[in-house]
Structures are given as structure tokens and as C-alpha cells.
Amino acid sequence: MTFLNSAPPRGRLALIVATSLVLVAAVAFAALFLVQRVERDAALFEVETRARSDAQILANGLRSELSKFELVPRVLAEDLEVAAVVQGDRGTRRALDRRLERIAEQTGAAALYVMDADGLTLAASNWNLPTSFVGSNYAFRGYFRDALAQGEASQFALGTVSRAPGLYIAHSIVVDGRPRGVVALKVEFDEAEQVWRDSGVRAFVSDAEGIVLIASDPAWRFTMLQRFASAGRDAAADERQYGVAGFRRFAPDIPDAALVSVPVGYPAQGTAEEWNLHLLAETGPQVAAAQQTARLEVLLGLVALALVLWAAFQWRRHRQAQTRSIIAARTATLREQLTQANRLATLGQVTAGVGHEIRQPLAASRLFAENGQRMIAAGDTGGAADNFAHIAGLMERIGQITDELLRFSRRTAREPGDVQLARAIDGAMLLLRDRIEQSGVTIERPSSSLAETIVRAEPVRLEQVLVNLLQNALDAVGEGGRIEITIACDANFARLSVLDDGPGLTREEADQLFQPFATTKPDGLGLGLVISLDIMQGLDGDLVVEPSGDGGRFTMVIPLA
């Protein structure tokens, strides 16, 4: 009798084992390939996301710095001493030289100078240096011609004397309705570039034509991005402006790098001339780490699938928590920068009025000083003392204004403390005093007893919100309107309200009021109230729109101390 053997022949078993091993190896390689691809893409995405966030922070910082410099030529263009010099007053030139020197040192500007309508430099901050601009003619510069024709202009160029690259910001000097000269300020970026290099940041800034202007690597400066063509350019003009007759292609020797680009918002957001900041982020170490992680995951999966799944779950949860922590920290940083940008924008709106507030005491002080000199010469020491006392009082007034400006513009991250509401009200009224007087608006303040209410807040942030609300109220009421500031308290909170007799808000406008970019102003961005709400909530308070019979009523809810 013949029996059938149920076990497969030895050769067939070997074939099954070999086939199984081949299939397992194929699945393992396929899994390894897929996991490596996924991890590589995730690492690249994370690197690019982080780089884009870092680039945005750098761009915001650069734009904030440029905004500070933009104000200087604009304010000096309205200065009486500058106007006198461009009209031929030679006696005040040396005094203006020294004054420009002090302002340049205080602001960190490379140079600050005044030219007449023909481009001849009359006074400069570097008047006593071998590289002095005094006597030089810059009528050939584009920023001079554009500022004279359009009121203000900027241009990035190589210095004709220093041969140092920098940004020239210019503003025309208008006297009796016609341009009589130009105030120009030069900003050099060597310190910013050195900071980038020291921190290991590979960044550069290009203009609308793709020309690299500012770079962490000096070899990149005055090269041109690949997507822009340099053919057909005026070589002689490029030689005068940039010191190069032909631009090399931008080709950084950085393997495995991701390039992210964000707009700087200069000269103006969304314009054809806007600068762009670019950041090169090295991806090699992150990709290599991601590939190593993939190999480990696959190996552990083959040894013990359950252990791998558990480890992958834990790793992913930790990674998500770390990412959330990073995003939260950077969101807080961006929120602080946005708040500071709003504060600087508000400061720019009141600068002209503050300039008027300062010019009047200065002019009066000069007259008192001249009278005092004559009285001393005539032997009237008592009258001279009275004049000098008037001067001291006027200087104290100027000091109050400038102290308030410096305090309001200073970046702040202090913890909340005990603050009198009167401090915020007084600061806001001081900043907006000129606009209030010019518009003829009546503002009723709360009683002194209520204004002495002490709350738990940060003074500058509290004042920033109140300035925003008062400016909105001034826009709403127009000339000759009425605004009232009231204070009411309950057990835990003080409610500081700004009421106006303007046209008020529709229900639709009120519902969308705290949505970003929702605005009723033709030239508004719709961010002021959003930032103000964020500030109040950060102080454990709130900002609300309350029903009002006529006009608008905005209320700041502030914790009591």
C-alpha cells in the first residue's frame, strides 16, 4: 500500500521560504522607501515653515527699523533752522552741522545732510570728517531728483565718498509753497549683516529688479536673482549706483538648502518697488535625521510591530507638542511685533502735531533768550531772570512731550502692575492734543476722583488702546464734534468708555468690528481694533462695543488692582 506524505518536499519548502524572504525584503524595502519619502517631505516642510517664520520676523524687524529712519527726514524738512539754511542763511550752517551730527549719532544713521535745490550739500552730520559731504553736489542721484519732484523718495546705492552701500531716504524742503532743497538720510546695514552672520542666518534682501542689496554673505551683494534678466540695462548707471557694470547671477554655494521669501513692506506693502527678504535654510541634517528615523522605524516594525506602533504614537505626540510649543512662542513674538508696529504707526500719525507742539515753545524760547541778553546788557537783571524762568518752563513743556513720545514708542514686555487710569488718559491726550485742537472737538474727561482709580495693567499698552479708540472717535465726529470719556467700576473691574456723537455703527458693522481687515475707513487696514482687543485680553480684560443712543461707545474692561 502507498501512503501520501502530507509534508512538502524539501526543495519545495526551501522555495517557499526563499519566496517569503524575498516578499518580506521587498515589503521592507518598499516600506523603507515610503517611510523615508514621508519623513523627508515632513522634514522639508518643517524646515521651510520654520524658515518662513524666521524670515517674517527678520522682515518685520527690518521694516520697523526703516520706519524709524523714515520719520527723521520728514520732520527735519519742516524745521525752521533747515529752512533758513536752504534760503541762504550762512550763519546757522555750523550750528545745523552739529545738530545733524547729534541726530545721526542718536538714530544710528550713517549720514544726515541738507542740500539746496541744485543738489549742493549745505550742511551734513559728517561735516568735520575727511569724508564730509559739505560742498558735494548730489543732483545726479535719483533720490534727490525724485524727492524734489514728488516730495519724498528712497534709493539704495554705493556711497560716492565712503564706497559703502546703503539706503538713502530723502524728503523735500518746501518753503512758501515751492521746493527749496532736500533732506537726505543714509542708512547702512553692516551691523545687521554682521548680526545675521554671527547668528548663522543665511539671509539677503532683493529689490523689485532682483538685485541683492543686503546680505549676510558680502559676496552675494549686488548680484542678480536667476529669474531676472540683466540684459539691456544701462551699464554706466549701474556703475554709478552699485559700483558694478554687469551683475553676476546669484549662486550661493550651499548644498541642500531651501529658499523662502517674504515681502519686507518697504517702500510700501504690495507696490512694484517692494523689497523681499529671502532666507536660505540648510535641509541636509534634517533630511539625514529623517532618513535615519525611517530606517529605525522599519527595523523596529519588522522585529515587533506593536512596539513600533506604540513608539511611533509617542514620538508623533511629542513632536506635535513640540511644534505647538514652537508655534505658540513664535505667535507670541509676532503678536508683540504687530502691537509694536501698530504703536509706531499711531506715533507716525501724531508726529506732525507733536512737531507743532515743540516748534512753538522753541520759537518762544528764542525770543525770551534774545530779550534776556538785551536786558542783561541794559543792567535789568530782574527782567532777564524772568525771561530765563519762562525759558525753563517752556523747556519743561518740551521735555514732557518728548518723554511721552519715547515712552509710547518703546517696545514693552513688562508684567502688569498698579496703574492710575489718569496716567493713560493724560498720555493719550498729550499725544493727540494738536489734532484735538485743530479739529475743534470737545472732549469731556471723567472726574479726578474716578480718574484716580487704580487698575492692574501695563501702562504703555493701556495707553495704546486708548489712543486707538480716541483716534477712531475723532475720525467719527469730524470737526466740532463731542467725545466723552467715562469711568465706572464694579467689584472686580473698571470700565473706561469712549463715547462720541458721530454717525454710529450699523448692526452689520458692529458684528464684523473685531474681524481682521474689516474697516469702515477708506484708507484703514482693519487691524487697530483687533490689536486693541488682543492687548486687553492679554491684560485679563476685554474691549467691547456697547449699545448707545447716538454715536459710538467703546468700553475697555480692566481688572481693578
Side-chain angles (χ1 to χ4, degrees):
M1 181 178 293
T2 303
F3 295 91
L4 295 176
N5 191 350
S6 58
R10 182 173 298 177
R12 184 181 176 189
L13 180 60
L15 179 61
I16 293 174
V17 173
T19 302
S20 299
L21 290 176
V22 170
L23 289 175
V24 170
V27 171
F29 278 115
L32 181 61
F33 173 79
L34 291 174
V35 173
Q36 283 183 331
R37 182 64 179 270
V38 170
E39 289 296 334
R40 178 181 179 276
D41 291 346
L44 290 176
F45 178 76
E46 185 176 352
V47 169
E48 291 181 2
T49 301
R50 186 185 305 119
R52 189 171 300 279
S53 177
D54 293 342
Q56 189 63 60
I57 292 172
L58 292 176
N60 290 342
L62 182 60
R63 181 68 187 97
S64 178
E65 189 72 8
L66 290 172
S67 298
K68 176 187 73 175
F69 287 111
E70 280 180 329
L71 293 174
V72 177
R74 190 177 304 167
V75 173
L76 282 176
E78 300 180 3
D79 188 84
L80 296 178
E81 191 174 29
V82 172
V85 168
V86 297
Q87 292 181 95
D89 186 353
R90 297 179 177 272
T92 60
R93 288 190 183 181
R94 183 52 57 86
L96 182 57
D97 283 333
R98 293 191 177 95
R99 184 177 169 205
L100 294 177
E101 182 181 11
R102 290 195 302 271
I103 295 174
E105 290 176 353
Q106 292 168 357
T107 60
L112 185 60
Y113 48 106
V114 175
M115 297 164 283
D116 63 14
D118 296 323
L120 181 66
T121 303
L122 304 177
S125 60
N126 57 7
W127 62 277
N128 61 344
L129 299 178
T131 56
S132 172
F133 292 175
V134 176
S136 298
N137 193 297
Y138 296 106
F140 67 93
R141 286 293 199 186
Y143 67 81
F144 175 83
R145 297 192 301 270
D146 292 344
L148 210 58
Q150 303 169 11
E152 57 184 356
S154 63
Q155 182 185 22
F156 197 97
L158 204 64
T160 56
V161 177
S162 66
R163 306 307 293 170
L167 175 67
Y168 295 84
I169 304 173
H171 200 286
S172 64
I173 305 167
V174 178
V175 180
D176 297 331
R178 62 190 186 95
R180 298 295 297 270
V182 170
V183 178
L185 177 146
K186 182 183 181 184
V187 186
E188 294 180 0
F189 300 91
D190 49 347
E191 291 186 6
E193 292 173 332
Q194 186 62 47
V195 170
W196 290 353
R197 285 192 292 273
D198 293 343
S199 59
V201 174
R202 297 182 177 95
F204 62 95
V205 176
S206 66
D207 63 10
E209 296 179 304
I211 299 172
V212 177
L213 306 177
I214 309 167
S216 57
D217 187 340
W220 298 349
R221 191 185 300 121
F222 298 147
T223 60
M224 182 168 280
L225 301 185
Q226 295 287 349
R227 64 179 180 273
F228 293 90
S230 59
R233 296 183 62 87
D234 187 337
D238 287 340
E239 177 71 25
R240 286 195 304 270
Q241 183 173 354
Y242 303 108
V244 293
F247 293 100
R248 294 179 290 107
R249 293 291 184 183
F250 176 75
D253 186 18
I254 303 176
D256 301 325
L259 177 65
V260 296
S261 305
V262 296
V264 175
Y266 183 86
Q269 186 78 32
T271 62
E273 297 81 16
E274 183 178 8
W275 288 4
N276 288 288
L277 186 139
H278 312 269
L279 189 65
L280 285 163
E282 189 176 358
T283 60
Q286 288 82 356
V287 170
Q291 291 176 339
Q292 185 65 31
T293 301
R295 295 189 191 99
L296 180 61
E297 288 176 349
V298 172
L299 178 61
L300 293 176
L302 294 174
V303 174
L305 183 58
L307 182 61
V308 168
L309 292 175
W310 180 85
F313 172 75
Q314 294 295 328
W315 174 79
R316 183 171 294 277
R317 187 171 65 176
H318 172 72
R319 184 174 174 182
Q320 290 175 343
Q322 187 180 38
T323 301
R324 285 194 298 269
S325 177
I326 293 172
I327 291 174
R330 288 181 178 158
T331 300
T333 301
L334 290 175
R335 181 182 293 113
E336 172 62 25
Q337 291 178 338
L338 187 60
T339 302
Q340 176 70 3
N342 174 262
R343 191 180 303 128
L344 292 176
T346 302
L347 190 61
Q349 294 172 5
V350 301
T351 298
V354 171
H356 175 73
E357 289 286 340
I358 292 176
R359 283 196 299 273
Q360 285 185 334
L362 284 176
S365 296
R366 182 175 180 180
L367 291 176
F368 281 125
E370 292 172 351
N371 289 336
Q373 288 177 333
R374 286 192 288 268
M375 289 178 179
I376 290 175
D380 185 4
T381 57
D386 290 340
N387 275 265
F388 294 141
H390 285 304
I391 293 174
L394 291 170
M395 291 303 102
E396 182 178 359
R397 177 182 173 187
I398 292 175
Q400 290 175 347
I401 295 171
T402 55
D403 288 346
E404 182 64 26
L405 282 173
L406 290 173
R407 187 176 66 84
F408 188 80
S409 64
R410 189 175 294 118
R411 185 187 298 274
T412 175
R414 294 186 299 171
E415 291 295 323
D418 293 350
V419 183
Q420 271 193 353
L421 290 178
R423 178 179 176 182
I425 296 172
D426 291 342
M429 295 292 288
L430 178 61
L431 289 175
L432 296 173
R433 180 167 61 191
D434 187 70
R435 182 180 177 188
I436 294 169
E437 291 177 354
Q438 290 184 357
S439 62
V441 172
T442 300
I443 296 186
E444 295 187 14
R445 297 178 52 157
S447 65
S448 58
S449 59
L450 287 173
E452 291 173 357
T453 300
I454 299 177
V455 296
R456 189 74 177 170
E458 203 288 313
V460 174
R461 294 182 185 274
L462 199 65
E463 184 178 327
Q464 181 178 356
V465 176
L466 184 55
V467 167
N468 282 341
L469 295 184
L470 285 174
Q471 289 204 120
N472 288 344
L474 287 168
D475 291 338
V477 301
E479 293 188 5
R482 178 179 173 275
I483 298 173
E484 182 180 1
I485 302 174
T486 65
I487 297 174
C489 299
D490 56 26
N492 299 312
F493 293 94
R495 303 176 70 87
L496 192 156
S497 300
V498 176
L499 301 83
D500 64 71
D501 61 355
L505 298 169
T506 66
R507 186 176 188 85
E508 181 179 359
E509 289 171 344
D511 291 340
Q512 298 179 353
L513 203 58
F514 294 104
Q515 296 297 321
F517 309 112
T519 179
T520 60
K521 302 178 183 178
D523 56 349
L525 291 178
L527 292 178
L529 288 176
V530 177
I531 295 172
S532 297
L533 175 61
D534 184 71
I535 291 174
M536 295 307 303
Q537 291 178 343
L539 297 174
D540 295 329
D542 202 358
L543 177 62
V544 296
V545 181
E546 297 187 335
S548 176
D550 295 309
R553 181 188 183 106
F554 289 83
T555 299
M556 300 163 57
V557 182
I558 316 161
L560 290 171

